[in-house]
Amino acid sequence: MEINVFKLCSGLRVLGYFMILLVAAIIGVSYYAVVVLTCGPQLLRGGFHSFLSFFIIIIFHILLILLLWSYFRVVFKDPGSVPENWRAVSAEENLEVGGSLAAADDGFERRPRGGYYCLHCQNGKPPRCHHCSVCQRCVLKMDHHCIWVVNCVGACNYKFFLLFLLYTFLETTMDTIVLLPSFINFFGEAKNHSSTPANLAIIFVAFGKLSTKWILYLDAVLNLAFALSLLCFLVMHASLLSSNTTSVEVHEKKGAVRWKYDLGRKKNFEQVFGTKKSLWFFPLFSEDDLDKIPALRGLDFPTRSDVEA
């Protein structure tokens, strides 16, 4: 009996729906720990403590709105689908419609579309397109399939994914800093009653059963773990963004003397975030950028003029 690996991979989508509930639960616990238990009571004290708590609550909600906005955009935005019966355009066809292989005004070469053929989708594959075994379809400029968003990350939602990582990192870092004093105070008090790790653990468990404050300590640990892991992801994707590379292209890039899609850091950034600076930190694109930057739609990509396609 043959096992269909692609059918098994598609089962990961079920896990993805559980991850969405997990994200909602983590956000709910963090909201309760930071806003309700920690900052809320401080608002009644007056003076500097009230001002600081009010400031923290405002920043918390701003980051939360941006985080959720970016998250839902990644979840519900099509990462990029290959048009039905898509095929590569030959050099002759490109010249017939007035195309040119000459360098454009910005110094980067516009080459005719090349591609391959996907046996699973029975359709052409544009450049940088890959078949996702979880989604069971080809995705334009696919980076990876993310179970946290039950969706692929591709040409059309990569910016939203990066913003989701950024705002989640900032939110979890802020939560960790806010909850850190309570976390330290608990272990300071516990240490005065016991010096052995075993007794300390017993006190922690017993205290958690007797008070809702255990949420503060649990949430502090969770946020610290997420902040550290997200920092690693941010550094990795910042490196990929600066070289105009996707996660699945890393191996291919290692074998190239010059990466053909590397147009320089500024151009590479604009290939993902667009040129409109006022929208860089929001999960949105301007119509002008969508019209002028083909890479945002995932079908055509400018390449370096000094590298053979």
Side-chain angles (χ1 to χ4, degrees):
M1 179 180 178
E2 294 185 0
I3 299 177
N4 190 327
V5 178
F6 292 101
K7 288 285 182 66
L8 293 177
C9 289
S10 63
L12 290 175
R13 293 183 66 86
V14 178
L15 177 62
Y17 295 119
F18 169 77
M19 301 304 281
I20 290 181
L21 295 177
L22 181 60
V23 169
I26 293 172
I27 292 175
V29 171
S30 295
Y31 191 94
Y32 181 69
V34 175
V35 178
V36 178
L37 292 181
T38 304
C39 294
Q42 297 296 322
L43 294 174
L44 304 177
R45 292 184 59 181
F48 177 74
H49 289 91
S50 293
F51 173 78
L52 181 61
S53 296
F54 180 75
F55 179 75
I56 290 173
I57 289 174
I58 293 298
I59 298 300
F60 180 93
H61 282 89
I62 291 175
L63 289 176
L64 181 60
I65 290 171
L66 292 171
L67 184 161
L68 291 174
W69 187 8
S70 301
Y71 181 70
F72 286 121
R73 288 286 279 162
V74 182
V75 172
F76 294 110
K77 177 66 176 178
D78 186 346
S81 300
V82 182
E84 191 175 354
N85 298 321
W86 184 94
R87 68 184 183 87
V89 178
S90 65
E92 291 76 10
E93 290 174 320
N94 189 66
L95 292 173
E96 284 178 4
V97 296
S100 174
L101 296 183
D105 293 337
D106 57 6
F108 301 110
E109 192 172 4
R110 300 298 195 269
R111 295 182 181 273
R113 296 185 297 178
Y116 299 93
Y117 188 80
C118 179
L119 295 176
H120 301 288
C121 298
Q122 296 293 301
N123 196 11
K125 287 177 65 177
R128 313 186 77 176
C129 174
H130 294 274
H131 186 87
C132 175
S133 56
V134 180
C135 294
Q136 297 287 298
R137 67 187 180 98
C138 284
V139 176
L140 299 176
K141 194 190 173 186
M142 178 180 171
D143 187 87
H144 69 288
H145 183 92
C146 181
I147 60 172
W148 287 93
V149 300
V150 204
N151 199 4
C152 267
V153 176
C156 300
N157 66 351
Y158 186 48
K159 173 188 176 181
F160 311 150
F161 174 75
L162 294 180
L163 290 176
F164 169 61
L165 288 183
L166 174 64
Y167 292 131
T168 306
F169 169 72
L170 294 176
E171 185 78 272
T172 53
T173 300
M174 189 186 76
D175 291 356
T176 302
I177 295 173
V178 170
L179 298 173
L180 191 59
S182 299
F183 190 76
I184 294 175
N185 289 338
F186 166 74
F187 279 98
E189 294 174 1
K191 189 175 181 181
N192 293 331
H193 294 85
S194 175
S195 57
T196 65
N199 289 335
L200 187 63
I202 293 173
I203 291 174
F204 181 83
V205 173
F207 186 81
K209 291 180 179 179
L210 296 175
S211 173
T212 57
K213 287 186 177 180
W214 69 272
I215 296 177
L216 296 175
Y217 319 124
L218 173 63
D219 194 54
V221 173
L222 283 175
N223 278 284
L224 178 60
F226 274 107
L228 293 175
S229 60
L230 286 168
L231 178 60
C232 296
F233 275 108
L234 277 174
V235 171
M236 181 189 77
H237 280 283
S239 175
L240 294 174
L241 178 65
S242 66
S243 61
N244 202 353
T245 312
T246 64
S247 298
V248 296
E249 291 173 339
V250 170
H251 180 72
E252 181 184 352
K253 179 175 177 285
K254 286 181 179 179
V257 178
R258 292 187 182 90
W259 182 236
K260 60 185 177 182
Y261 298 115
D262 189 354
L263 312 177
R265 290 183 180 178
K266 182 176 182 294
K267 287 290 182 182
N268 292 343
F269 182 86
E270 291 174 350
Q271 292 282 299
V272 175
F273 281 80
T275 59
K276 197 171 183 62
K277 296 180 180 179
S278 61
L279 296 181
W280 279 354
F281 293 99
F282 299 98
L284 297 169
F285 288 114
S286 68
E287 289 297 328
D288 189 51
D289 279 342
L290 290 174
D291 291 336
K292 293 183 178 180
I293 306 178
L296 294 178
R297 298 188 181 277
L299 287 172
D300 294 293
F301 300 93
T303 57
R304 296 169 60 109
S305 56
D306 59 345
V307 178
E308 289 294 327

